[in-house]
Amino acid sequence: MIISRDVMLIAAVFYVRYRTLPTPRTLSKYFNPCYATARLKPTFISKVNTAVQLILVAASLAAPVFNYADSIYLQILWCFTAFTTAASAYSYYHYGRKTVQVIKGK
């Protein structure tokens, strides 16, 4: 679920980059960071999602050490992480035009 969300975000960024790049569009211009064409502003839920994912990774790595691998709290954290991931993906879909700021060429 997390990887799917990130792949969709990357695909959307590639699309926005292509659409906002001035013509003629070339590969060297496409991958040149000097041509800044758009800026992505993260949503609040995506920042929360990142924090929850980091907490989940730490808790999952610590679970065998502290013998709480089968804990209900760890399972709740997994479900909460799935929820925030889905909410983050939806927020980028729903507020897509508001989160991408196109930089006008000079």
Side-chain angles (χ1 to χ4, degrees):
M1 184 178 226
I2 294 168
I3 293 171
S4 297
R5 173 193 157 264
D6 289 346
V7 167
M8 286 188 291
L9 281 175
I10 291 169
V13 168
F14 277 140
Y15 175 75
V16 168
R17 173 73 173 169
Y18 175 78
R19 295 290 297 174
T20 58
L21 200 63
T23 53
R25 296 178 181 111
T26 63
L27 277 178
S28 62
K29 195 185 280 189
Y30 187 85
F31 290 105
N32 188 345
C34 294
Y35 291 102
T37 58
R39 182 177 301 131
L40 179 66
K41 293 188 271 184
T43 60
F44 176 73
I45 189 66
S46 70
K47 291 183 178 202
V48 170
N49 180 44
T50 300
V52 171
Q53 286 177 357
L54 291 173
I55 292 168
L56 176 66
V57 168
S60 295
L61 290 173
V65 175
F66 296 107
N67 200 22
Y68 64 87
D70 293 330
S71 171
I72 187 70
Y73 299 113
L74 187 60
Q75 293 175 12
I76 290 171
L77 185 58
W78 277 95
C79 292
F80 185 65
T81 303
F83 172 75
T84 59
T85 301
S88 174
Y90 176 74
S91 75
Y92 279 118
Y93 172 75
H94 185 69
Y95 300 110
R97 296 192 187 274
K98 294 178 185 175
T99 60
V100 175
Q101 175 187 8
V102 175
I103 300 170
K104 301 293 182 194
K106 294 180 181 176

